[in-house]
Amino acid sequence: MSAADQAAVMRDHPLRRWIRAYADSRLALAGLGLLVLIVAAAIAAPWLAPQNPYDLMQLDMLDGRLPPGSVSGDGELRYLLGTDAQGRDMLSAILYGLRISVVVGVAATLLALLVGMTLGLVAGYFGGRFDALLMRVVDIQLAFPSILTAMILLALFGQGIDKIIIALVASQWAYYARTTRSVAMVEADKAYIEAARLLGLSTLRIVFRHLLPNCLPPLMVVAALQVAAAIALEATLSFLGLGLPVTEPSLGLLIANGFQYLYSGRYWISLFPGLALLLTLLALNLVADQLRDVLNPRLRKS
Amino acid sequence: MVQLASGTQFGAHWVRVLALVLGLWTLVGTTQAAALKIGLAAEVTTVDPHFFNTGPNNAFLHHVFDSLVDVDADGRLISGLAESWVAVDATTWEFRLRKGVKFHDGSELSAEDVLFSLARPAQLTNSPGSYTSYTKPIVASQAVDRYTVRLRTATPYGPLPLDLSSIFIVSKKAVEKTGTEQFNAGPAAIGTGPFRLVAFHKGERIELARHEAYWGVRPEWDTVHFRVLASDAPRLSALLAGDVDLIEAVPTADLARLKTNPRVSVTTRTTWRTLFWHLDQFRDRSPYVTDLAGKPLDRNPLKDVRVRRAISKAINRQALVERSLEGRAVAASNINAPGIFGYNSEIAVEAYDPAGAKKLLAEAGYPEGFGLTLHGPNNRYINDAQVVQTVAQLLNRVGIRAKVETLPLSVYFGKARASEYSMALLGWGSLASDFTLRSIVGTPDADRGWGTWNWGRYSNPAVDALVQSALESVSPEQREDFARQAAKLALDDVAVIPSHHQLASWGLRKGLKYDGRVDEFTYAHEVRSVK
């Protein structure tokens, strides 16, 4: 193989092709940039935030409901985005809230992906009774709105970040199971799988080494969209007062806390966490949209 | 005396002028019926006055029905259908009825109706919230004549008149052969109250018209329309849009904005609802008390009165009321509101004293403090979740590592009543402090009905004895004195930690006046128009 051929192969490497296709859209690039920023801010929250909003020792109720830019009573802190009713610095609370959103979104999606994908692969590859049973369970699951499933589970489990993740996984795994199964069924009939079978490879190897990688692109699109859905669902649950304790507010709870003050002009308690949530979801959706375009051969520009 | 006489003369002249003006005004008024539209914050579930004992139901039922003993806006007993009452002996009460009281169907009230009404709650066995606790002390009743009723109790029982203020008097003739549904439909809803029922649409609206033969002060309104507007925003919007003339429970966060609106006015007043903290005082290891590292503590610091006092001193009630409650409450020293029967004004509001609190904690053997989780509801009282967080913040300042868990009422009360918590917030409203003390700090005894809401299971025989004496006193003065002593004893011992008394608010369109009531009830017949 000549060097020129090799370069051509490299140029045609799917990953490169995808990156190039992704960069086609400036909006999608901006979305990706925003997303990276948000994730970085969430990870670095303990070092970035002027205050630990979960430590009651650091809060002073006498600083409650101060407008953006106010200085704390002891003169040591400037509340750039104002404070909530407990005297919690909104900027710090939003950074910590983003952290919760990112952790919950990513963890719930990965777990749901793992569960749904495994079940979907098995169902799609083997078919039969297990497939029929699993798909009926998926049907039932999808018939319930995910918010309802999550609320019922949280009412049973109680509060806590681990419980929220479990509730989200339980309400989202079915999407992955269904997607994986449909792709796996198509792929399983293709020649390369037949070839692998004829070579006498073990079933485990065929499913996870050969079938799985070819099912991944559509799953990645679903997962990217579901991260946004998981974050929105967590915010909704927190807004409704389920989910996390009041002393550890996530974005949804922060919005709920400020909700009653919207009429009275103290906009900042709801507005800023709302904006943070909006930007996060926007960035995720921009990225997911472009991923779908890139990974879907039918939409690919010739 | 001379001056008084001339004053009377002068007054008589003005009465004549006033009568003339009123007469003219009535003539004008006949062309335009005076209607009052009220937005209620909670649903009225039934018109049957003996079926479902809830605050919103009772508030509404007072429009259609009367009780023997009435309660004024400040929570004091005044005469209702009974002109007067007296304890004939230690276990016999005599009630003298007003003469000439007319039911809505025109028939006249008699002792028979009273006896029938007092017996009826016990017959409604399917009641979801019974009124029988008010009639249970009565072991025998007797109509001495058409206007006199005698009631006997098994043991001396001072609060009987207060209990009877919760029992509505119905017409025996109208009710005898009917059930709850006939009240809701109308035929059985025959009372003696200031208004008669025109239509009842459950969960939606209720229409009333003035009872022209009402025995009391004639209400200003020809008709009254109640609308159920349970959500805060729509209720407020209805007032601002002029769809209703008056709303109860103005949303806290909007009060400041409403006060600057020239088209509406707001009435606020202290109510009976008092919030306090229960502290686990019966377990040696309390479930939500830990050491500083978060491990369960092998002794219960809340059993030590010094620790309880320290927690009380650590709470900055003034700041709590001004900041967390935005002025919607006043700091409390008692577990009953000021003015309520048995309120002890000698008890002072605990002063905010973090240094003193730390000193007491050190004396009790906790110089570094300990860990404690506070529990409270998040949808029951004014800014309740914020109150719990603020108190946790304040406890952290004196070294107690306080955490917070707030839950919806439905979950919270179940767990709290099973005494699952170490420190938990409760709000209580009653018209007599001996009642409150019996429920809140009386040694729990389900059979006797004592300590039914004593979550911390505080127990002090001396307090129990004083409460018992109060309940057995048929002389109001003696009873109130015992109740005050009991309150002092229990609170000196920090049986519970009083926090604040809530304020209630009503929003009215300009031109209306309502003074509010300590029981938070909204009475159309107490709403007046002003110039």
Side-chain angles (χ1 to χ4, degrees):
Chain A
M1 198 184 272
S2 75
D5 284 346
Q6 212 160 12
V9 169
M10 279 305 289
R11 221 179 15 253
D12 251 15
H13 189 276
L15 198 62
R16 281 205 156 203
R17 212 168 57 220
W18 288 348
I19 291 172
R20 229 180 308 123
Y22 186 92
D24 265 359
S25 160
R26 291 215 182 148
L27 201 58
L29 272 184
L32 187 66
L34 186 60
L35 188 63
V36 169
L37 262 179
I38 287 170
V39 172
I43 292 170
W47 297 278
L48 283 179
Q51 182 192 61
N52 177 355
Y54 301 162
D55 182 3
L56 291 177
M57 292 283 275
Q58 293 189 24
L59 307 184
D60 189 343
M61 65 155 164
L62 296 177
D63 286 349
R65 304 185 199 96
L66 293 180
S70 309
V71 178
S72 66
D74 54 15
E76 285 181 3
L77 201 64
R78 183 175 283 276
Y79 301 118
L80 287 177
L81 299 184
T83 61
D84 74 357
Q86 290 300 311
R88 196 178 276 121
D89 175 38
M90 288 310 296
L91 177 63
S92 309
I94 289 169
L95 287 171
Y96 273 74
L98 278 176
R99 209 174 153 81
I100 296 177
S101 296
V102 169
V103 167
V104 166
V106 171
T109 304
L110 285 181
L111 279 172
L113 180 66
L114 199 72
V115 173
M117 189 180 69
T118 312
L119 291 172
L121 271 179
V122 174
Y125 184 76
F126 295 104
R129 257 194 224 163
F130 176 74
D131 179 34
L133 183 73
L134 185 77
M135 283 307 112
R136 295 300 80 73
V137 174
V138 167
D139 283 342
I140 293 168
Q141 170 90 65
L142 291 180
F144 283 102
S146 41
I147 177 90
L148 192 66
T149 317
M151 279 175 78
I152 293 169
L153 289 174
L154 280 178
L156 288 175
F157 296 152
Q159 296 182 329
I161 199 158
D162 46 340
K163 282 134 192 160
I164 283 222
I165 292 175
I166 294 173
L168 292 182
V169 170
S171 59
Q172 292 195 326
W173 69 274
Y175 294 99
Y176 302 102
R178 169 134 301 172
T179 311
T180 315
R181 173 195 175 255
S182 60
V183 182
M185 278 173 76
V186 174
E187 296 290 325
D189 287 341
K190 287 193 176 162
Y192 71 94
I193 296 289
E194 207 169 323
R197 270 202 217 113
L198 290 173
L199 278 173
L201 298 182
S202 73
T203 311
L204 214 60
R205 196 180 154 97
I206 294 172
V207 170
F208 286 100
R209 289 293 300 275
H210 297 269
L211 187 56
L212 175 60
N214 288 293
C215 296
L216 273 182
L219 276 179
M220 281 168 67
V221 175
V222 176
L225 284 168
Q226 288 295 317
V227 173
I231 289 176
L233 193 54
E234 184 277 326
T236 311
L237 291 168
S238 293
F239 183 86
L240 295 174
L242 297 154
L244 296 168
V246 280
T247 47
E248 292 172 22
S250 71
L251 292 178
L253 191 57
L254 286 173
I255 297 171
N257 285 344
F259 188 59
Q260 54 167 325
Y261 298 110
L262 278 180
Y263 259 149
S264 56
R266 289 144 171 171
Y267 61 89
W268 59 91
I269 308 178
S270 266
L271 181 71
F272 294 127
L275 279 178
L277 185 65
L278 179 80
L279 288 178
T280 310
L281 295 180
L282 179 70
L284 273 167
N285 278 311
L286 285 175
V287 171
D289 260 8
Q290 186 69 358
L291 269 185
R292 190 187 56 202
D293 291 355
V294 170
L295 295 178
N296 187 341
R298 257 165 280 164
L299 290 176
R300 200 178 298 154
K301 280 176 225 150
S302 48
Chain B
M1 283 315 272
V2 176
Q3 256 188 335
L4 181 68
S6 74
T8 317
Q9 284 278 309
F10 184 73
H13 172 69
W14 277 105
V15 165
R16 256 172 261 136
V17 174
L18 193 69
L20 187 68
V21 172
L22 272 177
L24 284 172
W25 190 82
T26 317
L27 276 177
V28 178
T30 46
T31 57
Q32 193 183 0
L36 182 69
K37 288 170 279 179
I38 296 180
L40 295 178
E43 189 188 343
V44 174
T45 56
T46 177
V47 188
D48 185 338
H50 303 132
F51 183 63
F52 195 0
N53 183 11
T54 70
N57 281 355
N58 291 337
F60 160 71
L61 289 165
H62 270 288
H63 291 85
V64 180
F65 301 95
D66 290 307
S67 43
L68 288 179
V69 178
D70 207 353
V71 174
D72 71 8
D74 297 319
R76 290 289 170 158
L77 300 185
I78 53 172
S79 67
L81 291 179
E83 218 163 34
S84 65
W85 54 90
V86 63
V88 187
D89 59 51
T91 56
T92 310
W93 288 85
E94 186 173 283
F95 290 83
R96 295 192 158 275
L97 303 187
R98 260 173 222 284
K99 296 191 175 86
V101 172
K102 289 282 200 301
F103 278 106
H104 298 158
D105 65 358
S107 59
E108 201 193 330
L109 171 83
S110 77
E112 285 304 312
D113 298 306
V114 173
L115 294 189
F116 176 79
S117 302
L118 293 181
R120 189 164 176 267
Q123 291 161 9
L124 297 181
T125 47
N126 60 345
S127 164
S130 177
Y131 287 86
T132 49
S133 59
Y134 306 118
T135 55
K136 214 188 295 177
I138 304 169
V139 291
S141 55
Q142 175 204 358
V144 178
D145 58 46
R146 190 174 163 79
Y147 298 110
T148 312
V149 171
R150 279 194 177 185
L151 305 174
R152 284 177 59 83
T153 56
T155 51
Y157 185 65
L160 190 72
L162 175 58
D163 276 351
L164 291 185
S165 71
S166 298
I167 297 295
F168 295 102
I169 304 303
V170 297
S171 156
K172 182 180 179 185
K173 189 181 70 172
V175 177
E176 213 163 19
K177 293 181 183 71
T178 59
T180 297
E181 64 284 355
Q182 285 303 306
F183 275 96
N184 294 350
I190 303 296
T192 56
F195 296 96
R196 62 186 164 79
L197 185 73
V198 175
F200 174 74
H201 300 279
K202 194 174 174 213
E204 194 189 334
R205 66 195 160 86
I206 307 166
E207 289 167 27
L208 302 177
R210 182 169 49 214
H211 174 31
E212 299 296 344
Y214 181 51
W215 57 268
V217 180
R218 182 183 151 94
E220 206 177 307
W221 314 103
D222 296 312
T223 58
V224 175
H225 297 255
F226 288 107
R227 277 177 63 189
V228 179
L229 297 164
S231 302
D232 282 349
R235 189 169 63 253
L236 183 64
S237 306
L239 175 69
L240 294 177
D243 293 342
V244 295
D245 302 310
L246 183 156
I247 59 168
E248 52 185 17
V250 179
T252 314
D254 296 305
L255 276 169
R257 191 174 61 112
L258 273 192
K259 281 185 177 155
T260 62
N261 188 325
R263 285 177 301 139
V264 296
S265 65
V266 174
T267 298
T268 54
R269 69 156 293 159
T270 317
T271 68
W272 57 2
R273 201 172 298 283
T274 302
L275 279 88
F276 47 84
W277 291 95
H278 267 305
L279 304 162
D280 178 358
Q281 288 161 71
F282 71 104
R283 276 173 288 221
D284 288 327
R285 304 178 83 170
S286 197
Y288 289 99
V289 174
T290 64
D291 64 12
L292 292 172
K295 293 192 191 67
L297 202 62
D298 58 3
R299 54 184 175 149
N300 179 359
L302 302 175
K303 280 188 156 185
D304 189 328
V305 65
R306 288 171 297 187
V307 173
R308 300 201 295 270
R309 176 69 65 196
I311 293 175
S312 183
K313 281 181 184 294
I315 299 174
N316 185 349
R317 290 173 181 75
Q318 208 47 49
L320 182 79
V321 159
E322 281 166 16
R323 307 295 309 192
S324 298
L325 291 149
E326 298 169 270
R328 315 302 320 130
V330 290
S333 59
N334 279 237
I335 54 175
N336 277 103
I340 296 289
F341 184 87
Y343 179 84
N344 190 336
S345 50
E346 285 166 24
I347 309 173
V349 174
E350 184 90 61
Y352 176 51
D353 179 11
K358 278 185 192 160
K359 198 160 150 267
L360 278 172
L361 283 174
E363 277 174 29
Y366 304 95
E368 303 295 321
F370 52 90
L372 176 64
T373 303
L374 313 187
H375 285 87
N378 58 19
N379 59 352
R380 172 67 174 170
Y381 313 117
I382 299 174
N383 293 3
D384 42 13
Q386 287 183 25
V387 168
V388 182
Q389 287 183 71
T390 301
V391 170
Q393 216 184 85
L394 289 163
L395 293 189
N396 271 284
R397 301 252 150 120
V398 300
I400 297 172
R401 304 283 183 277
K403 286 192 274 192
V404 170
E405 204 176 314
T406 60
L407 304 101
L409 189 72
S410 50
V411 186
Y412 177 69
F413 267 0
K415 296 194 176 207
R417 293 197 75 173
S419 294
E420 282 186 26
Y421 300 137
S422 294
M423 179 163 166
L425 185 68
L426 174 62
W428 197 259
S430 114
L431 291 176
S433 75
D434 48 359
F435 275 0
T436 307
L437 291 163
R438 179 178 63 181
S439 303
I440 304 300
V441 299
T443 303
D445 181 343
D447 294 337
R448 293 172 63 219
W450 281 63
T452 43
W453 290 80
N454 184 352
W455 298 345
R457 301 199 201 164
Y458 171 80
S459 175
N460 183 340
V463 171
D464 289 351
L466 282 170
V467 173
Q468 181 74 38
S469 303
L471 293 171
E472 282 176 357
S473 302
V474 290
S475 139
E477 294 77 22
Q478 209 178 22
R479 182 181 157 212
E480 190 159 19
D481 187 48
F482 277 126
R484 285 191 177 128
Q485 290 181 42
K488 178 98 172 77
L489 194 59
L491 291 170
D492 278 350
D493 206 11
V494 204
V496 293
I497 299 178
S499 179
H500 55 273
H501 310 293
Q502 283 190 1
L503 267 56
S505 53
W506 289 265
L508 306 97
R509 117 178 115 67
K510 264 286 177 316
L512 291 182
K513 191 170 179 335
Y514 186 59
D515 293 333
R517 293 180 56 88
V518 75
D519 48 24
E520 303 179 45
F521 290 173
T522 305
Y523 282 180
H525 42 289
E526 290 180 3
V527 178
R528 297 181 306 283
S529 58
V530 286
K531 276 278 145 28

